[in-house]
Amino acid sequence: MSYNGVGLSTPRGTGTSGFIQRNAGQLAQGAGRTALMWNTRSYYKTEVIREEKCKDVQEHERKRAIELKLLIEREKLEDEGKLSEEEIEDEMIRLRAQFVSEQEEELRQQEAKPMPSKTNANVAAALGINVNEHNEGDAFDRELQERKRLERQAKYQAGEDEEEQRRLEAEILEEERILEEKKREKEIRKKLKKEEKKAKARAAKDKKKEKKRLRVERDTKRDKRKEKRRRRRSSTSSSSSSSSSSSSSSSSSSS
């Protein structure tokens, strides 16, 4: 019962019949949809979605991205162990200023870049409306729409619209190619995320091993110190016993 790759593979356990409701708001495949995608603020573009959000949320996301970069850099420096804590703090201050300046420069470039506007012509092309031949209210005239549908069907069957059909087929192939590229990009991003997770897991494992090694060394040193103290005590006790025995022998001889 999945739709567009989203959803469950089976309705079992969901308490539903698994019927998928058709999305009446989705634009049909064709030239109009392609024009709307690339000439207007499309919902396929993550930058447009980001701009539509609240300004506070955008600011929070930018700060969060900076803190995430700083956390990764701090972990790298701590794992290397070449710098002290004060030097790491100084490096974090420098990197924070650098990241903030880079982010501000990127925002200035985005603001300077003109965004295409969603015009009536683009919307009409996306919905397949001919502005020159369109009359208001024609969409509600059922007889007219049925007549137009029959005319289109007759044109298609008679082969008078072969050029249009070829053009539509070329556009469909182009859209399929674009979707395939997006799919490949998604797989690459997924693979990169998986590799990043593995790298983080390896780093955490190495860190754990290093901590364990340090703990073993610390325990070994502590045991050595205990052994030294025990030997020192035993030597002092033996020397005191020998001195007491010598004193007792001298007193017996004198008597």
Side-chain angles (χ1 to χ4, degrees):
M1 53 183 296
S2 63
Y3 178 70
N4 280 348
V6 179
L8 303 174
S9 59
T10 175
R12 184 180 299 169
T14 62
T16 64
S17 64
F19 175 73
I20 301 298
Q21 180 75 29
R22 186 179 73 85
N23 185 5
Q26 184 179 10
L27 297 175
Q29 301 285 341
R33 178 178 173 180
T34 306
L36 185 63
M37 282 172 58
W38 299 112
N39 297 332
T40 63
R41 298 161 66 86
S42 171
Y43 56 86
Y44 285 106
K45 300 177 183 178
T46 55
E47 295 83 1
V48 176
I49 298 174
R50 195 175 297 116
E51 285 184 2
E52 297 296 333
K53 292 183 180 178
C54 179
K55 298 296 182 182
D56 296 337
V57 177
Q58 294 180 34
E59 184 66 24
H60 174 73
E61 287 183 354
R62 287 194 289 268
K63 290 180 180 178
R64 184 175 179 276
I66 290 175
E67 294 302 324
L68 180 60
K69 289 180 182 178
L70 290 173
L71 180 61
I72 293 171
E73 293 296 331
R74 178 184 284 275
E75 288 181 354
K76 286 181 182 178
L77 294 175
E78 288 178 353
D79 291 340
E80 290 174 359
K82 295 180 181 179
L83 302 177
S84 63
E85 190 66 28
E86 293 79 6
E87 292 174 342
I88 290 175
E89 289 295 334
D90 295 339
E91 183 68 16
M92 289 300 104
I93 292 170
R94 186 187 68 79
L95 287 175
R96 180 178 279 106
Q98 178 183 344
F99 292 154
V100 169
S101 64
E102 290 176 356
Q103 200 174 76
E104 289 176 353
E105 181 64 25
E106 184 180 354
L107 286 173
R108 281 196 295 270
Q109 290 179 359
Q110 288 180 359
E111 290 174 357
K113 184 180 178 181
M115 293 294 292
S117 61
K118 187 182 292 185
T119 60
N120 292 332
N122 288 333
V123 175
L127 299 176
I129 299 172
N130 190 346
V131 181
N132 298 323
E133 298 179 359
H134 176 69
N135 296 319
E136 292 185 5
D138 286 351
F140 301 100
D141 191 345
R142 292 182 178 270
E143 294 180 359
L144 178 61
Q145 295 301 322
E146 182 66 19
R147 190 165 62 252
K148 285 183 177 180
R149 186 182 69 80
L150 293 174
E151 289 175 359
R152 287 194 302 268
Q153 188 174 1
K155 265 189 187 179
Y156 182 75
Q157 291 174 354
E160 295 178 3
D161 206 10
E162 291 180 359
E163 185 177 353
E164 182 69 17
Q165 186 179 355
R166 284 196 298 270
R167 187 178 64 82
L168 290 175
E169 288 176 356
E171 288 175 355
I172 289 170
L173 290 174
E174 181 67 17
E175 288 183 0
E176 288 178 355
R177 184 186 65 79
I178 292 170
L179 291 174
E180 188 66 27
E181 288 180 357
K182 288 182 179 179
K183 187 177 179 181
R184 282 199 299 270
E185 289 176 0
K186 189 176 180 181
E187 290 176 356
I188 291 170
R189 285 197 298 269
K190 199 179 201 178
K191 192 181 290 185
L192 289 174
K193 282 184 181 179
K194 192 181 287 185
E195 291 177 357
E196 188 178 353
K197 277 186 181 178
K198 286 182 181 178
K200 285 184 179 179
R202 283 197 299 269
K205 192 174 180 181
D206 295 341
K207 196 173 182 180
K208 200 182 217 179
K209 284 183 180 178
E210 184 66 18
K211 285 183 179 179
K212 187 175 180 181
R213 186 184 65 77
L214 293 174
R215 187 168 60 251
V216 169
E217 289 181 358
R218 191 168 59 248
D219 294 342
T220 306
K221 288 181 181 178
R222 187 173 63 246
D223 293 340
K224 285 182 180 179
R225 287 197 298 270
K226 285 184 180 179
E227 183 66 22
K228 283 183 181 179
R229 291 197 202 98
R230 189 180 63 76
R231 288 179 181 176
R232 200 179 295 116
R233 287 197 195 99
S234 64
S235 64
T236 53
S237 63
S238 64
S239 63
S240 63
S241 63
S242 64
S243 63
S244 63
S245 64
S246 64
S247 64
S248 63
S249 64
S250 63
S251 63
S252 63
S253 64
S254 63
S255 63

